[in-house]
Amino acid sequence: MCRINRQEECPVQYRVRTISQSNKTMLSELRIENMALIDSLQLDFSSRKNGLAVFTGETGAGKSIILQAIQLLAGSRGAASWIRNDCDRAVVEASFDLDHEHPEIRNLLINQDVEHDKECIIRRIISRNGRSRVYVNDRLVTARLVGELMQNLVNIASQHDHQRLLVPRYHLDFLDTFGELWEERQEFERIFMQFKQLESQLRTLCEQEKDKEQRRDFLQFQLSEIREANVFVDEDIQLEQERIRLKSSTTLAELAGKSHELLQGRMVENLAAIRKNMEQVAALDESARDLSDRIVSACFEVEDLEAALREYLLSIPTDPHRLDAITNRLGVLKQLQRKYGPSIENVLEYGEQAEIELSSLETVEKKIEALEEERDKLIKKVMYAADGLSLSRTNVADKLRTAMENELVSLNFHHTDFKVSLVSCSDGNIDGIQATGKDQVEFLFSANPGEPVKPLAKVASGGELSRLMLAMKCILARRDQVNTVVFDEVDAGIGGKAAEAVARKIVELSSHHQVLCITHLPQIAASADDHYMVTKQVENGRTVSTISSLVNDERIMELARMLGGDSLTEQTVAYAKELIESNSVRSGQ
């Protein structure tokens, strides 16, 4: 069972910081159940709004599970293989204290009819059968909604982000985020998509114009064929019924004729006498009145039936040429149905649509002229909006360069050169403009004086890239409303003075943000407000990850392990203690 060993009675000597305890949206609790090596875990962060919580431990101990759990809540794809053996499901749950002044989160919850007050609880359940469900405040929601929520709740900086920094197409997103240009960018995209839709309509019309004469002749032939056939609804059904009667006309006439002869004989002749007799019976015996009425009525009915049968006999078709005509007509109808639809209704509908299309072909030229005029206006509008967005980015690029160089100085880059290359790809016309605008952005960097700036992928080492990403995240964190930042091994490839600089930078960020950091650097761990150690061990024949909250000597020994590995000496223990004390002194304890 993965657990937190809480020792609240111990006099924890955390350094004193000037940390704002204002009402901010923050991660207050994280719970993981049956995930990977974790049996059950509950982390409580509610004691402080800001500050630095670090997670340390040997490689493979299970530190990454914390990050995976948060990413699952953010909408990343889960897998049944993540579920602990012999368990049917894994559960990840996070509770956030909400800031009443965070409209994006509250609007998302209100629009989805999710009840909320001061808390937002997000829970994701992954089942062994591969199904995954997400709940917000116990209401089942879509992965898209929870993804949008988490974008406003947690900012994750992982190795994946480091790789994105090497890909120029993501640099535009960094620049627009820093400059708070997304609203302007989305407005440009709306105008640009109007232009693209209009262009698509225009292409379709031009194709129609190109083949207009051929299409017109074809439609006219089809419409003429349907009109000349003069079909009507259910004609084929009626003809088929008549055809069956014609084929059976001899038998029908024979059977109906014999029946009529029998009715027309003495039976009909005697009906008048029967009626007269029964009327006299009823006059003499009132009790026979009902019987008399029934018999009289039946006599009249038989006479009517005889007349109807006589008319039916006269209606039986006897013309052999009519059968040939019906067969030929059904052939015409079947041919129309094969061409234009399975039923007569479909044939008639096709004719109506052909007539409409013929009329529209006559107005194609006028439509093209109107759309071309509208397109010219939209091109000017798109170009104007693209120029405005590009100008905004040019101004922001200078500010980002200055901000990055200042941040990099604090990260032990004293002679670096960081530039934002902003290149227009439109050449003064709409060709080359995309939904993101007309700009191509790429970050250029040089860590050595006298060396020209080059793309990050060509010059940045692993440690340099980590510090560049940290600088970027720190800059962006000051601008957005996301108070919780998670760093996953931001110290990759870093050591010495650079490690101390990174630690100071993370400490600075944690003075106004809630920071969770998975790290191997003792310099960062020594700066923590809360220190958690992740260990892997065997309990009852099964491997489990255990997370313990470290205080006092426990913390010193973990720092000593991070400094010297398994070879602990008095010197490494003393240095670990010195690291903690020096951080306390620097922070003003």
Side-chain angles (χ1 to χ4, degrees), residues 239 325-338:
L239 287 174
I326 290 175
T327 301
N328 292 335
R329 181 62 176 174
L330 285 172
V332 172
L333 297 181
K334 291 295 183 183
Q335 186 177 10
L336 290 174
Q337 289 170 320
R338 282 194 297 269

Side-chain angles (χ1 to χ4, degrees), residues 22-270:
S22 61
N23 184 26
K24 287 186 176 182
T25 297
M26 61 161 285
L27 175 65
S28 59
E29 191 172 309
L30 178 66
R31 185 172 70 88
I32 305 173
E33 180 182 317
N34 299 329
M35 182 174 169
L37 298 179
I38 290 180
D39 186 359
S40 179
L41 163 67
Q42 185 171 348
L43 294 172
D44 187 353
F45 304 105
S46 60
S47 61
R48 58 179 87 241
K49 297 291 182 182
N50 302 323
L52 173 61
V54 300
F55 296 84
T56 64
E58 296 283 359
T59 300
K63 300 186 296 299
S64 62
I65 299 176
I66 305 295
L67 178 67
Q68 287 177 344
I70 296 175
Q71 288 176 330
L72 279 175
L73 292 176
S76 67
R77 179 173 296 181
S81 59
W82 290 6
I83 302 175
R84 188 162 170 76
N85 289 335
D86 301 330
C87 297
D88 294 329
R89 66 177 193 172
V91 180
V92 180
E93 183 176 277
S95 176
F96 294 87
D97 293 337
L98 295 184
D99 177 6
H100 286 284
E101 297 181 358
H102 203 310
E104 288 83 357
I105 295 176
R106 297 195 172 276
N107 288 339
L108 282 171
L109 296 175
I110 290 171
N111 291 338
Q112 296 295 323
D113 295 325
V114 177
E115 294 185 3
H116 65 283
D117 184 15
K118 297 180 179 180
E119 188 177 40
C120 176
I121 300 175
I122 301 175
R123 181 171 69 255
R124 182 167 180 180
I125 301 174
I126 301 175
S127 302
R128 179 67 67 182
N129 59 13
R131 296 182 61 185
S132 178
R133 293 187 176 184
V134 188
Y135 298 84
V136 175
N137 290 351
D138 289 327
R139 182 183 179 91
L140 184 65
V141 299
T142 63
R144 179 178 179 180
L145 170 64
V146 79
E148 292 179 2
L149 273 175
M150 287 295 287
Q151 285 180 3
N152 290 280
L153 290 169
V154 178
N155 192 329
I156 301 173
S158 64
Q159 295 296 319
H160 176 65
D161 292 299
H162 291 185
Q163 296 305 312
R164 286 168 65 97
L165 198 56
L166 294 175
V167 182
R169 71 173 181 271
Y170 294 118
H171 295 178
L172 183 63
D173 294 344
F174 282 115
L175 180 66
D176 288 346
T177 301
F178 170 77
E180 299 178 350
L181 299 177
W182 280 97
E183 186 174 344
E184 185 177 354
R185 173 169 162 176
Q186 289 169 352
E187 174 61 18
F188 169 79
E189 183 178 0
R190 184 187 66 80
I191 299 171
F192 181 76
M193 293 311 297
Q194 285 181 355
F195 164 74
K196 296 300 287 185
Q197 290 172 0
L198 186 144
E199 227 185 15
S200 177
Q201 295 175 15
L202 192 55
R203 279 196 302 271
T204 301
L205 286 177
C206 288
E207 288 295 325
Q208 291 181 5
E209 174 67 15
K210 180 180 177 181
D211 303 323
K212 183 174 68 174
E213 294 304 323
Q214 183 178 358
R215 181 64 176 170
R216 179 191 285 114
D217 291 343
F218 183 60
L219 288 172
Q220 285 177 341
F221 168 78
Q222 291 181 318
L223 187 58
S224 175
E225 185 178 32
I226 294 172
R227 285 176 175 174
E228 289 176 2
N230 196 25
V231 299
F232 57 87
V233 176
D234 292 337
E235 181 183 1
D236 54 340
I237 297 174
Q238 295 177 21
L239 287 174
E240 186 63 34
Q241 291 173 349
E242 185 179 355
R243 188 175 70 86
I244 294 172
R245 286 186 68 202
L246 275 168
K247 292 178 68 175
S248 306
S249 59
T250 302
T251 304
L252 292 173
E254 182 181 349
L255 293 173
K258 288 181 179 180
S259 298
H260 183 259
E261 287 178 2
L262 292 173
L263 278 175
Q264 198 178 25
R266 294 182 60 83
M267 180 181 292
V268 174
E269 294 175 357
N270 294 331

Side-chain angles (χ1 to χ4, degrees), residues 258-297:
K258 288 181 179 180
S259 298
H260 183 259
E261 287 178 2
L262 292 173
L263 278 175
Q264 198 178 25
R266 294 182 60 83
M267 180 181 292
V268 174
E269 294 175 357
N270 294 331
L271 291 178
I274 293 173
R275 286 199 305 271
K276 185 176 180 180
N277 292 338
M278 290 309 301
E279 287 173 353
Q280 290 180 0
V281 169
L284 296 174
D285 184 1
E286 187 63 30
S287 65
R289 173 64 61 185
D290 289 343
L291 177 61
S292 173
D293 291 343
R294 290 171 59 192
I295 292 174
V296 170
S297 176

Side-chain angles (χ1 to χ4, degrees), residues 488-500:
D488 176 35
E489 298 187 4
V490 70
D491 48 24
I494 296 174
K497 292 183 178 180
E500 296 178 359

